[in-house]
Every structure is written in C-alpha cells, then in structure tokens.
Amino acid sequence: MSIPTSVLEELLHALPLLRTQIYFKSSLTALSHAMEDQVLAGVEPALVIACFQRERFYRQEAHRYRRISNKTDQVYVLAAPETEFQNSSQIQEAIAFEPDDGLAKEWHLVVLAPNYSTCLVCREKEVVPVKASDLPSMDQSRRFEGIWTFDRQVSSTVARLLLERVRVYRPELEEKIERAIATYRLSDTDKALEAAARFQDVDPGPFVQRLVTYLQAGQHKLVKTYRSMAAQERRERLVNSITTAIRQSLNPADIFQVAVRELGGALDVCRCLIYRCKATDQEAAIAYEFLGRSVKSLTGEVWPLQENPLFQEVVASGERVAVENSSTDTRITGSKRLRTLVQEWEIESWLMVPVLYQNQLVGMVELHHCGCEYREWDAEELTMVEAIATQVGVATLQAEAYANLEDLNEQLAALDRTRSNLIAITGHELRTPLSTIQVCLESLASDPDMPPELRQVMLSTALDDAERMRTLVQDFLTLSRLESGRVEWNTEVLPLHECLSLAISSVRTRANSEAGALPTLSLEVPEDLPLVRADGEWLVEVLSKLIDNACKFTPSGGKVTILAQPLGDRELEVKVADTGRGISSDRLETVFDRFYQEEGALRRSTGGTGLGLAICRQIVTGWGGQIWAKSGGKDCGSQFHFTIPIATDSSSEVTPNPRSKSKSPKGDRSSGSSRNRRTPIR
C-alpha cells in the first residue's frame, strides 16, 4: 500500500496561515535530538510520532527510541524498509511503508505531552545539479522545506494526520490510536483549540537548553575532528619529508638527520634521538639528535642498553614504552642505572619506540621531555612516532640493500678479475710445463740413439715440470677446500720449534733440488715458548709457504728472519721478515687475494700461481687467528705476521712430530719429496 500525498501539504491546507522555512539536515538533526532528549528527561508520558524516510536513518537512532519507549507506550516509528524493518509491535509501534510513498521524502517528528508540545514536519527538496558532471551533494548539506514549532494546534494537527496514516497502514492498531486521540484531545477541535490557547505561554527553556547542549556537543566533536585532521596532516607531512629524504639520498646518515629534526620539531620535545642498535648490543653511540630547548646534548655519548630496563622491555615486547613521570614510574625508581641517567640528563618524560624490520630490532627512536613538569604522551603523538619509526626502518633497509648491492658489484668485479687472472695464470703455468714435457717426450721418442746423459736430462726436466703442474693443481684444490669449509681441523698441542724445523727443512730441500741459492735463514725464537694449539699439518704448510715466499723475493745475499713471541696469555705471534724487494703500502692487503701477482701474470721473474698467501690466510683464519703484512715500501723488505692460539691446558698430550700422522687432512697430498718442492708465491 502506498499513499503518494504529502503530510506537509495536508498541514498547509489545514492551516493556510503557516509559512515554511528551509532547513539543512544538520539543523533538523539538532532539533530532533533536542525534542527526543526532552522526552527522555521528562516524567510525563508523551505521544511520539517519527518518520525516518528510510530504515537506515532509523537504525542510527534505534537505541534512543528504545529508551523513549521505556518512558511511554505511545511511540510510533515510520520508515521505508531496506533490510529488516517491518510492521511490528515489540518495543514501539513500527510502521513500514512503500519506498514510493510520499513519506519517503519527508522528515517528521511530533511530541505531545500534557504540559508541552513540539512539532517538526519537513519535506526534502530535490537539488538539480547545475552541470551533469557535478558530484552529489554531501549528506549534511541536504535541504528540507517545512515547519518547526512549539504551537500546540500545529502539533496536534500533524499528530492527527500522521495517526491517520498509521491507521491506514496498521488497522489492527485502531484501539491504541483512539486511546492516543482521546488522551491528547486530538478529536475535538474546540477542546484542541482551548488546549492550544492554554499552552501558548509554554516556557521553551528546557528545550532550548537541550538544543544548546546538543550543539555544544556537536561543536566539541567538530573541534576533535579538526584536531584529528591537523594531526593527520602533520603526520603525513612528516612521513612525506622522510620519504623525500629517502628518494633524494640512500645514505642512512641523511635520512636519520631529517627524521630526527622533523620529528623533534613537530612534537616540540626537549630531545629526540635516533640510533642504530640490535637486541644484543650492550650500548649505542648517539650520532643523530634534535634539541628543542636548552638541555645538554647527548651527541657523541655512549648510551647504555643492556643496563636499561626500558630498552629490555622494548626488546621483550617489540612495542613502544612510554614513561610520563620518571619520578613515580617504578621501572625507573627501581633501577639505580636509570635513576642516574634521569638525573644526569634531566629526563622527566621518556618515550622509546623500536625501529623494526621483520620483527627484528634495527634501531630506536627516543623522545625526552626535560624540566620540572612531566608530559602525557597522547595517542596521536604515539601513532605519529610509530609511523616515523616505520619509515626509518624502511629507509634503513633500502640503504643497506643499496650498500649490499654495491658490495655485490665490487665482488662481481673482483670475481671477473679473478677469472681473468685464472685464465692468464693457468694458461702460462700449465702451457709452459706441458710444452716442455711434450718436447722432452718427443725427443726421447724420436731419437732412440740419444746419449744416456742427455736422456737423463730430458727425463729430469719432464719430471720437474710435471711436479710443477701437480703443485699448481694441488694449490687449486687446497684453496677450494679451505674456502668451501670442507676441511676437518685436527687440532692438537704442538711445540712451535718442531713445526719451524720441518718448514725450514722443506724449504732447503726444495732449494737444493732446484740448485738455487737461499738467502741467510735466521731463527730467533725463544726456547721457552708456550705450546700452541693448531693442526700440525696446516701449521707447517703456513710456515713453509711464508718462508719459501720470503726466500723467493730476497736475493741470495739477503736475510730471512723467523721470530716468535707471546701476545698476552692467549696468542702467539710469528713473524717472517726479509730484506727483499718489499711491498708498496697500497698492496699490503691485496697480496692475500687469489691469483695476485705483483709483477703481473706474464712478466714476473719468479714462478707460482698467486695462491700461496691466499691459502695461508684461509688456514690462519680457520683456527681463529689473524695474518697481515707490513713493509717499508719498494726495496725495503717485508714482514708477514700471523697469530696462533696458545694451548692453555698444560696437561694436554703433546704431539712430537706434526707429520707423523698416518692420515693427512688435505686429502691426496703426499708427504714425500713432492711436498718439499712446492713453489708458493707472493
């Protein structure tokens, strides 16, 4: 059933002297709430009739009408159903009309009580857009034409018109409607006019007070909304500033400096800090700081972390920690270390927000409020700081990713250089002995009448070059195993003297086999050196390569000195010094790279693959030691140092001969003459 006529038009027809006004929705909402609040505040049972146009508008006020229904049983609610609204008589009388009914475009509220009355009856005005492209108007800007009044006659007339609509839609409510008409004198026109005259001087004060209260509450909500919008704008501005800094620079220092300046200035704090840290760090150095007032600077100071209960709470929870009053907070009063920090740096209120990446702590944002008054950290400030901390975490990740990418590019370039060196070195070191072996074998095969002396020379030359190739291949395999971590270290307690004797013997045997003149070898090692703990095979390997290397680059009239001395009670330092050609200062670290050749792969005066020192570094690093080079420059000699752990357990069994083991940790490396003919290079 649908009634297309308008209640407002029927009222104007019944009372032609009335004049309508234009109301915006926000005004009608304020008037309606004031009328409803007057019913809720009163003790008199009232007749309340409300038309909400649509069910969704009623759902917003349903809780208020449930409370009104507890005050009076004469409550009628009309709306066009959209989901669940239907005719019912549960809490109040619900009347559902068709969406094309005239009431669907009207907003009505009538309140009739024994001692007061109010009436609001309006019809929505349709606004035609000036242009087809105009957006729909906002909900609060909807306009209505109608009447709002205290007049008892107008209120009674509107009540009769609406009750007649209810009678049509809900005929089963006939008895209740008649009771309402009789109670509020709606049927007798003369009595209605008499009652209306009696209420012309009704005090509007209670209604106005409620209307003002509603408007003030709305104004308060509006102020809160504006504040929230301002905070949101400020937060977005900060985030945009930091985002801009990230785009302009991938340097973490620039990003942190912008973040600490913008955040500290926006929140007007005394001190703002941002520093890098991990959950396990003992302390952090303060490098990025904002000072808003005349307080002491923390720049350059070391900030304690493990001794800070607040930091530990952040690590444990992964969430922010806020202290509003340091003088009463038990976390601070219960820690002597924190009491000292608060007193020294005048911290009254303290906020710590973690900078996280994949739930791992990578940094911290701290805000300090200093002075005599504490500060309450509100929700908007906390949200802003957390948003900045998130951006700082993203910036840190991007900066580190970029740095890692640069490192990777450098590694790739180094790998390319290694590949080129490998091709050049193997091409030279393999091709030369192969050519010699081939010539010797072809000569032996083509000349069966070759004299025995020459035949022996050919065989010796072929064997020497075969050994040279075997050493090259063995160095490749050794370095590969060391770099891949596939070596099993057989550590034992050893006397360094025996290892040095074996290494020097190996070098002298090789020199004798090659008929080369060695420089003077000097062993300056105290007899009372402590025992060391290392793998004997690998320790002899390091000593042999370093001594052989020093001899190779030192002329026969020079000198090679081996020294050793304790470094404290945990390490022993061994030094191999020579008086040879020396190393330039910019190559002291490069000499330990794979395939490094100081003179170039194809124009050097000494043989080798450039793997000897690289192997030494892998071995020394494997037992936890360090190796480094020193030199005064060209023709000033060089010194190679490395450290070995001292055996702290004096009761450990001493192995007298590091080469007496039946099984070598280096796979197929033999322990005979081939070992004595290695050719390590610098």
Side-chain angles (χ1 to χ4, degrees):
M1 180 182 298
S2 177
I3 303 176
T5 57
S6 165
V7 174
L8 177 61
E9 292 176 356
E10 292 179 356
L11 173 63
L12 295 176
H13 180 73
L15 301 173
L17 296 179
L18 293 175
R19 294 292 180 268
T20 61
Q21 291 183 334
I22 300 297
Y23 300 90
F24 287 99
K25 181 186 175 181
S26 56
S27 302
L28 296 184
T29 302
L31 291 170
S32 298
H33 280 203
M35 294 166 66
E36 294 159 0
D37 287 343
Q38 192 171 14
V39 176
L40 291 170
V43 294
E44 303 172 331
L47 169 65
V48 180
I49 309 173
C51 175
F52 282 94
Q53 295 183 282
R54 296 284 188 273
E55 176 188 351
R56 61 180 176 275
F57 303 135
Y58 165 68
R59 287 200 300 267
Q60 299 173 8
E61 307 293 336
H63 67 287
R64 295 173 63 84
Y65 277 82
R66 284 194 290 267
R67 293 169 55 201
I68 292 173
S69 298
N70 292 329
K71 306 281 292 186
T72 175
D73 63 346
Q74 289 287 343
V75 180
Y76 301 86
V77 175
L78 298 87
E82 292 176 308
T83 56
E84 300 177 353
F85 191 83
Q86 58 185 353
N87 292 335
S88 65
S89 301
Q90 297 177 358
I91 302 174
Q92 66 265 336
E93 300 297 342
I95 299 94
F97 52 79
E98 297 295 332
D100 58 349
D101 195 288
L103 293 175
K105 297 183 179 180
E106 297 188 320
W107 182 330
H108 306 317
L109 178 58
V110 180
V111 177
L112 283 174
N115 293 313
Y116 70 90
S117 65
T118 51
C119 170
L120 175 63
V121 53
C122 295
R123 183 175 179 84
E124 186 169 5
K125 292 182 67 65
E126 295 184 2
V127 179
V128 179
V130 178
K131 298 179 181 179
S133 60
D134 289 349
L135 295 175
S137 59
M138 295 177 61
D139 188 64
Q140 293 298 325
S141 66
R142 291 165 54 196
R143 291 188 294 177
F144 292 79
E145 181 183 11
I147 296 170
W148 171 79
T149 181
F150 286 115
D151 190 281
R152 184 87 180 188
Q153 182 182 6
V154 177
S155 300
S156 299
T157 303
V158 175
R160 284 201 311 272
L161 293 173
L162 288 174
L163 287 176
E164 289 300 323
R165 297 287 181 111
V166 173
R167 194 196 306 268
V168 173
Y169 296 127
R170 298 281 305 279
E172 69 274 15
L173 298 179
E174 177 69 29
E175 182 179 349
K176 188 173 184 178
I177 292 172
E178 288 297 331
R179 188 168 66 251
I181 292 174
T183 301
Y184 298 101
R185 301 179 180 181
L186 302 179
S187 59
D188 192 328
T189 305
D190 294 334
K191 290 183 178 181
L193 291 174
E194 180 183 349
R198 217 164 14 115
F199 290 106
Q200 291 298 324
D201 297 327
V202 173
D203 181 15
F207 173 82
V208 173
Q209 290 177 0
R210 289 169 177 80
L211 179 60
V212 170
T213 300
Y214 174 82
L215 293 175
Q216 287 178 335
Q219 186 68 24
H220 178 67
K221 292 180 180 178
L222 189 61
V223 170
K224 288 181 63 178
T225 301
Y226 285 153
R227 287 178 179 173
S228 178
M229 292 173 62
Q232 177 69 18
E233 186 274 335
R234 182 172 54 176
R235 186 162 55 248
E236 290 179 354
R237 180 178 59 82
L238 281 175
V239 173
N240 290 338
S241 299
I242 297 175
T243 302
T244 302
I246 294 173
R247 291 174 178 173
Q248 293 177 348
S249 172
L250 285 174
N251 184 358
D254 296 339
I255 297 169
F256 292 164
Q257 196 60 50
V258 171
V260 75
R261 182 182 68 247
E262 293 290 337
L263 182 58
L267 295 184
D268 190 26
V269 294
C270 299
R271 187 185 293 118
C272 179
L273 309 174
I274 296 181
Y275 54 86
R276 299 285 297 273
C277 65
K278 292 185 285 189
T280 56
D281 288 348
Q282 296 291 327
E283 54 192 22
I286 304 301
Y288 308 102
E289 179 187 49
F290 167 84
L291 296 179
R293 301 179 187 176
S294 56
V295 294
K296 291 190 296 183
S297 173
L298 273 168
T299 302
E301 296 289 336
V302 176
W303 202 236
L305 301 180
Q306 294 302 321
E307 298 178 1
N308 186 339
L310 299 181
F311 178 81
Q312 295 304 318
E313 184 177 341
V314 172
V315 171
S317 65
E319 299 177 352
R320 65 174 184 261
V321 171
V323 174
E324 294 185 349
N325 191 340
S326 60
S327 60
T328 59
D329 194 289
T330 56
R331 292 170 294 187
I332 293 181
T333 57
S335 170
K336 181 178 179 180
R337 183 59 169 150
L338 284 188
R339 291 200 307 270
T340 303
L341 288 177
V342 166
Q343 183 178 4
E344 180 180 1
W345 301 103
E346 303 176 352
I347 304 174
E348 188 62 31
S349 300
W350 198 338
L351 176 63
M352 300 181 70
V353 179
V355 178
L356 303 174
Y357 171 65
Q358 293 183 347
N359 295 325
Q360 297 295 320
L361 183 68
V362 297
M364 190 72 67
V365 177
E366 287 196 24
L367 300 179
H368 300 166
H369 182 73
C370 306
C372 300
E373 297 181 358
Y374 67 89
R375 173 171 180 163
E376 295 182 359
W377 307 104
D378 59 40
E380 293 180 354
E381 291 175 338
L382 297 176
T383 302
M384 182 183 301
V385 179
E386 288 181 336
I388 298 304
T390 301
Q391 286 296 318
V392 170
V394 173
T396 303
L397 170 64
Q398 292 182 352
E400 290 182 348
Y402 180 75
N404 292 336
L405 181 60
E406 287 189 327
D407 291 342
L408 181 59
N409 288 335
E410 292 179 359
Q411 293 175 13
L412 290 174
L415 183 61
D416 186 65
R417 291 193 299 270
T418 300
R419 179 186 62 82
S420 300
N421 290 337
L422 175 62
I423 294 173
I425 291 171
T426 54
H428 183 274
E429 293 294 329
L430 289 177
R431 182 175 57 190
T432 301
L434 278 175
S435 300
T436 303
I437 293 172
Q438 183 179 8
V439 170
C440 292
L441 294 179
E442 287 178 351
S443 299
L444 290 172
S446 62
D447 190 0
D449 299 328
M450 182 181 296
E453 295 81 4
L454 184 56
R455 182 183 296 273
Q456 185 61 41
V457 171
M458 291 292 183
L459 289 173
S460 298
T461 303
L463 287 174
D464 289 342
D465 282 345
E467 172 61 18
R468 180 178 171 185
M469 291 178 59
R470 189 207 65 80
T471 302
L472 171 64
V473 174
Q474 186 61 53
D475 282 348
F476 281 147
L477 296 176
T478 299
L479 184 60
S480 175
R481 292 181 62 218
L482 287 167
E483 290 183 335
S484 65
R486 292 184 285 111
V487 174
E488 295 183 4
W489 302 97
N490 299 314
T491 58
E492 53 195 347
V493 178
L494 299 166
L496 182 63
H497 285 280
E498 292 190 8
C499 297
L500 284 170
S501 298
L502 286 171
I504 293 173
S505 175
S506 172
V507 173
R508 284 175 173 165
T509 301
R510 182 194 64 79
N512 292 334
S513 66
E514 295 179 356
L518 287 176
T520 302
L521 290 177
S522 175
L523 189 62
E524 300 179 8
V525 179
E527 293 293 336
D528 58 348
L529 279 178
L531 301 176
V532 298
R533 182 177 294 277
D535 186 308
E537 290 282 339
W538 290 113
L539 178 54
V540 172
E541 185 79 9
V542 172
L543 292 169
S544 299
K545 286 186 178 297
L546 291 180
I547 297 171
D548 195 7
N549 195 58
C551 292
K552 186 183 304 181
F553 288 93
T554 303
S556 58
K559 183 179 180 181
V560 174
T561 307
I562 302 100
L563 306 96
Q565 62 180 357
L567 290 179
D569 57 354
R570 291 185 174 273
E571 287 185 324
L572 195 70
E573 179 185 357
V574 179
K575 179 171 70 171
V576 179
D578 62 66
T579 60
R581 66 178 62 177
I583 308 170
S584 59
S585 59
D586 59 336
R587 301 295 180 90
L588 291 175
E589 179 61 26
T590 313
V591 294
F592 293 99
D593 291 346
R594 292 172 295 176
F595 307 114
Y596 174 75
Q597 293 284 359
E598 186 178 3
E599 298 174 306
L602 301 179
R603 58 182 179 86
R604 62 193 183 282
S605 58
T606 59
T609 61
L611 298 178
L613 292 180
I615 292 174
C616 290
R617 180 172 59 180
Q618 291 293 330
I619 296 172
V620 173
T621 305
W623 65 50
Q626 294 180 322
I627 185 170
W628 67 97
K630 292 183 179 180
S631 177
K634 289 292 185 179
D635 301 322
C636 294
S638 58
Q639 304 90 42
F640 286 87
H641 305 247
F642 70 92
T643 59
I644 318 171
I646 293 176
T648 56
D649 186 1
S650 59
S651 62
S652 301
E653 181 180 355
V654 179
T655 302
N657 190 343
R659 292 198 176 179
S660 63
K661 295 183 295 181
S662 60
K663 183 178 180 180
S664 170
K666 295 177 280 296
D668 62 350
R669 181 186 296 273
S670 63
S671 59
S673 61
S674 62
R675 180 187 299 276
N676 298 331
R677 290 195 294 272
R678 295 188 190 92
T679 312
I681 63 170
R682 180 175 303 162

